[in-house]
Amino acid sequence: MKGLYIHIPFCVKKCEYCDFISFPGYSERFEEYVDTLLNEMKEYRGATLDTVFIGGGTPSVLPPFLIEKLCGAVKDNFNITMDCEWTAEANPGTLTGEKIQSMLDGGINRISLGVQSFNDRELRAAGRIHSAETAYNTVLKLSKAGFKNISIDLMESLPYQTPESFKQSLETAVSLPINHVSVYSLIIEDGTPIKEKYDKGIYSMPDEDSDRAMYHYTKSFLAKHGFHRYEISNYAMEGYKSRHNLKYWSCDEYIGIGTAAASYLDGARYVNTCDLEEYMSGIYRSGNKDVLAREDMMGEFMMLGLRKTEGISAAEFAGRFGCRIESIYGSALEKFISLGVMEYGGDYYRLTDGGLDVANTVMCEFV
């Protein structure tokens, strides 16, 4: 079964670190954009879905009636399994009680909340529109309304952040009724306001040692509180892994609709246009499909699969590609096992804890 990703490119304002395809404002175009999404959906009508993910941007900027319209169209166009995981990203600064109810009524059963920090100074420096108190209360509001599957995002190495303030954010997070945490290290991208302020010395940023301290503390702290690491940056309580994101890491098929959305179907990748006006004129895709060669498919399977702490199944590799994993990557696997950054057991090749620390270096070997 396939997953469906829907991109909502709008937000109240771009965060200081954001280089995603998103457009602040544009509220007068929301309905037109949703109608365009509905038209694009028809191209995939009849597909069976067991995960849906509405991401952005900030999907929670949409008014309740458009949330309901979008959810209704998903049900009208696709076959939704009874146990479908249906996620919507949300910003605490835009999620009202009425929107929460519209999401529940529409069939959304999982919320991914962009908290980033429970420290107001760090939130302001990152350009977030919510306060720590608003984020805290939003989680409680979601739980009280009936959401039983709540994930929050946190970030390491924000401006002014210290290992101690980061620990306090983690402590606040686990005190709340959540069952999934994604923890990402800030990457300072060219062309973002945070890069400009960093270059000018306006922002004080954690050094590399502090960043590593936060990274290692996260693993041990969340494990003690029942959140098990299942991917480099993701931690979940038993039964609450993100099934949609696991499709990406397992090279399973997914449909992407909306600006800049990607699809992976029948061994080919499609990417939609990043141009909002072009997209809303009905020109969805930015170019021809990229049909992956067998070697590229194998490389992606290895690279993405090694992000998962369970690693890569040798049996699944053989089933997909008709050959033993050792016949293709034997020398690399032996090398990394001898270096102590990889291990093999129970049919799985996986990175060790030390290997996860240098995952990018290891993954490059397979691309």
Side-chain angles (χ1 to χ4, degrees):
M1 286 173 281
K2 297 175 176 61
L4 172 67
Y5 174 79
I6 303 171
H7 190 65
I8 307 297
F10 308 113
C11 55
V12 175
K13 66 183 286 287
K14 286 182 81 76
C15 298
E16 295 276 297
Y17 53 81
C18 179
D19 70 336
F20 299 148
I21 302 302
S22 61
F23 307 96
Y26 282 83
S27 58
E28 73 282 357
R29 308 292 298 276
F30 288 179
E31 187 165 13
E32 180 186 358
Y33 181 81
V34 170
D35 286 341
T36 309
L37 291 175
L38 270 53
N39 285 329
E40 189 186 3
M41 272 185 210
K42 295 173 184 176
E43 295 190 6
Y44 304 99
R45 188 177 179 87
T48 299
L49 309 175
D50 62 352
T51 68
V52 178
F53 196 106
I54 307 174
T58 308
S60 54
V61 297
L62 295 179
F65 84 94
L66 286 181
I67 293 171
E68 294 168 9
K69 186 174 186 177
L70 180 60
C71 292
V74 172
K75 294 173 185 174
D76 289 343
N77 283 282
F78 300 100
N79 300 314
I80 309 295
T81 62
M82 291 293 291
D83 67 341
C84 182
E85 175 198 84
W86 194 333
T87 304
E89 289 184 335
N91 184 308
T94 60
L95 198 56
T96 65
E98 191 178 0
K99 290 179 183 180
I100 291 172
Q101 192 58 52
S102 292
M103 290 178 176
L104 282 168
D105 293 343
I108 294 168
N109 53 32
R110 181 176 184 269
I111 295 293
S112 177
L113 196 66
V115 172
Q116 316 312 358
S117 172
F118 285 102
N119 179 288
D120 282 336
R121 189 185 189 198
E122 294 167 14
L123 288 170
R124 286 193 297 270
R128 302 295 289 173
I129 64 171
H130 65 272
S131 67
E133 182 180 13
T134 298
Y136 186 93
N137 290 334
T138 299
V139 175
L140 296 180
K141 192 184 298 183
L142 286 163
S143 179
K144 186 176 180 180
F147 276 102
K148 295 178 173 58
N149 194 345
I150 303 171
S151 173
I152 69 169
D153 290 351
L154 294 175
M155 295 185 75
E156 301 169 4
S157 295
L158 290 168
Y160 307 120
Q161 193 175 56
T162 65
E164 186 55 42
S165 71
F166 179 69
K167 290 177 185 178
Q168 291 170 357
S169 283
L170 283 175
E171 288 167 1
T172 301
V174 299
S175 74
L176 288 164
I178 63 171
N179 30 50
H180 188 283
V181 184
S182 299
V183 185
Y184 304 104
S185 185
L186 173 67
I187 298 174
I188 302 176
E189 302 285 1
D190 289 339
T192 59
I194 209 166
K195 175 70 162 70
E196 182 180 348
K197 292 177 181 178
Y198 175 73
D199 289 343
K200 291 180 178 178
I202 296 173
Y203 279 161
S204 169
M205 312 288 284
D207 59 23
E208 188 173 343
D209 288 342
S210 295
D211 177 76
R212 289 296 86 190
M214 287 185 264
Y215 169 80
H216 289 293
Y217 182 80
T218 298
K219 293 188 294 182
S220 59
F221 178 85
L222 289 178
K224 289 176 185 175
H225 289 83
F227 292 85
H228 303 291
R229 190 185 197 190
Y230 69 99
E231 191 269 347
I232 290 175
S233 302
N234 287 272
Y235 304 77
M237 289 186 168
E238 188 65 34
Y240 289 97
K241 296 175 183 177
S242 170
R243 287 164 46 201
H244 183 82
N245 285 338
L246 279 167
K247 286 188 182 294
Y248 301 145
W249 303 320
S250 302
C251 293
D252 293 333
E253 292 193 324
Y254 52 88
I255 298 164
I257 66 170
T259 53
S263 301
Y264 181 60
L265 300 166
D266 298 322
R269 200 172 306 286
Y270 309 79
V271 181
N272 279 3
T273 178
C274 296
D275 187 305
L276 184 62
E277 298 302 328
E278 186 174 67
Y279 177 76
M280 291 205 286
S281 73
I283 303 172
Y284 306 135
R285 293 188 185 142
S286 56
N288 296 326
K289 65 182 181 182
D290 179 19
V291 180
L292 300 181
R294 182 168 175 268
E295 293 76 13
D296 294 332
M297 293 173 72
M298 283 193 243
E300 285 200 1
F301 185 80
M302 297 296 294
M303 180 185 70
L304 293 170
L306 286 173
R307 294 187 63 90
K308 300 180 291 183
T309 56
E310 75 170 6
I312 293 165
S313 163
E316 185 179 354
F317 185 96
R320 285 194 181 216
F321 303 111
C323 58
R324 294 177 66 248
I325 191 172
E326 294 84 2
S327 69
I328 306 297
Y329 298 112
S331 60
L333 296 172
E334 288 177 10
K335 178 179 76 172
F336 289 128
I337 289 172
S338 69
L339 291 172
V341 295
M342 187 179 285
E343 61 188 8
Y344 176 75
D347 182 52
Y348 282 83
Y349 286 95
R350 65 182 66 85
L351 296 181
T352 62
D353 276 349
L356 287 167
D357 290 350
V358 293
N360 288 340
T361 300
V362 177
M363 289 179 212
C364 285
E365 189 85 14
F366 301 99
V367 179

